[in-house]
């Protein structure tokens, strides 16, 4: 298994789907069961030995900077975006501070781990000669707080297929991934989604998926937050 010592938490979004809570607070600082979304993501990185993490900021970025001052591990590098760069551009801007390969986590992804941490499972699945990305997926019916049609189907070789014209597909992308810098060769630091890079790599057969074996919570909306909190009252989240 390749050693992964760096990661990134995508924390620059506006959090519009969580208003009015995010009118005065950036979404990554929203608490879930007494711990912020941002700290939960960083806890997962720390648990698998990540030594340095990049956190990108934009909306209310100074609040995030102050919040992270007391965090010792992993070491934090901030990547502030004066213009919101979306997921692809945000990661591209941070590449000089990231190793090869690196983890990337959406700040509104909350999950529990099974016997083997999900991030470690991504690293175990990654073959640098064959893969540019490993995506963590969750079964759509098990995704707490999620009400959408799903993102991907998966073939027998763990390769993802987009939903396309299908009304629904079995799996949701969790926002948790292992990426190679090769995805970004020739790509600018500008505004674009990671979806464009995924699609190019999927077409080349260089993306595989790992299906999560524990709970995953979509906390990107107020409804998702409420569903997560309700579930956690029944079964407390162990981080």
């Amino acid at each position: 298994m390749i050693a992964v010592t760096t990661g990134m938490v995508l924390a620059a979004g506006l959090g519009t789907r969580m208003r009015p809570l995010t009118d005065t607070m950036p979404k990554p600082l929203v608490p879930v069961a007494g711990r912020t979304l941002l700290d939960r993501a960083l806890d997962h990185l720390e648990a698998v030995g990540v030594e340095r993490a990049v956190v990108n900021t934009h909306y209310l970025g100074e609040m995030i900077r102050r919040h992270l001052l007391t965090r010792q591990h992993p070491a934090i590098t901030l990547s502030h975006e004066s213009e919101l760069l979306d997921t692809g551009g945000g990661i591209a801007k941070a590449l000089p501070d990231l190793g090869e390969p690196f983890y990337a986590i959406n700040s509104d992804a909350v999950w529990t781990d099974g016997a083997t941490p999900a991030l470690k499972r991504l690293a175990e699945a990654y073959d640098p000669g064959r893969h540019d990305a490993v995506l963590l997926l969750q079964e759509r019916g098990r995704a707490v707080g999620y009400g959408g049609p799903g993102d991907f189907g998966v073939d027998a070789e763990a390769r993802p297929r987009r939903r396309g014209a299908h009304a629904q597909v079995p799996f949701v992308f969790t926002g948790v991934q292992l990426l190679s810098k090769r995805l970004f060769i020739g790509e600018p630091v500008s505004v674009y989604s990671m979806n464009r890079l995924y699609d190019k790599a999927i077409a080349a057969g260089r993306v595989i998926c790992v299906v999560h074996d524990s709970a995953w919570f979509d906390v990107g909306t107020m409804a998702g937050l409420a569903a997560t909190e309700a579930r956690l009252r029944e079964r407390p989240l162990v981080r």
Side-chain angles (χ1 to χ4, degrees):
M1 182 181 75
I2 192 166
V4 184
T5 60
T6 63
M8 181 171 183
V9 181
L10 301 173
L14 300 175
T16 54
R17 295 183 299 160
M18 295 189 77
R19 289 176 177 161
L21 191 60
T22 52
D23 285 342
T24 57
M25 174 190 301
K27 182 174 68 173
L29 297 189
V30 170
V32 176
R35 193 151 182 83
T36 70
L37 290 168
L38 178 56
D39 281 306
R40 290 194 176 280
L42 292 168
D43 290 344
H44 281 292
L45 292 172
E46 181 182 1
V48 295
V50 165
E51 299 168 359
R52 184 175 71 257
V54 177
V55 177
N56 68 336
T57 62
H58 174 72
Y59 176 64
L60 299 177
E62 177 60 19
M63 291 182 67
I64 294 174
R65 186 193 69 81
R66 291 199 305 268
H67 176 82
L68 290 171
L69 286 175
T70 58
R71 179 135 195 158
Q72 300 300 313
H73 304 288
I76 304 295
T77 299
L78 293 178
S79 177
H80 185 69
E81 299 172 13
S82 55
E83 174 192 22
L84 193 59
L85 293 173
D86 206 340
T87 51
I91 295 176
K93 182 176 186 293
L95 284 182
D97 294 307
L98 294 166
E100 172 64 26
F102 60 94
Y103 295 115
I105 301 173
N106 291 350
S107 65
D108 57 6
V110 175
W111 75 95
T112 59
D113 282 319
T116 300
L119 294 177
K120 185 177 179 181
R121 293 181 68 213
L122 297 183
E124 289 174 343
Y126 176 72
D127 179 342
R130 299 172 55 209
H131 306 139
D132 291 337
V134 186
L135 310 181
L136 184 70
L137 306 184
Q138 176 70 308
E139 294 177 26
R140 182 169 51 83
R142 297 181 60 210
V144 178
Y146 179 81
D151 300 306
F152 294 107
V154 178
D155 70 16
E157 296 182 352
R159 294 177 300 194
R161 302 184 307 270
R162 287 284 191 185
R163 185 173 71 248
H166 296 283
Q168 294 181 333
V169 284
F171 298 103
V172 181
F173 175 48
T174 64
V176 182
Q177 59 204 304
L178 178 67
L179 302 177
S180 168
K181 290 184 174 182
R182 287 187 298 269
L183 280 170
F184 298 87
I185 292 174
E187 298 291 342
V189 177
S190 61
V191 183
Y192 59 93
S193 168
M194 278 299 299
N195 283 315
R196 175 158 64 84
L197 305 191
Y198 297 149
D199 288 344
K200 184 167 64 173
I202 288 169
R206 295 191 62 83
V207 180
I208 61 165
C209 300
V210 169
V211 176
H212 191 38
D213 60 358
S214 189
W216 175 79
F217 307 82
D218 182 1
V219 197
T221 65
M222 292 301 294
L225 177 61
T228 299
E229 294 280 9
R231 171 72 172 271
L232 295 180
R233 283 194 292 269
E234 299 170 4
R235 282 174 271 180
L237 179 61
V238 178
R239 64 177 180 87

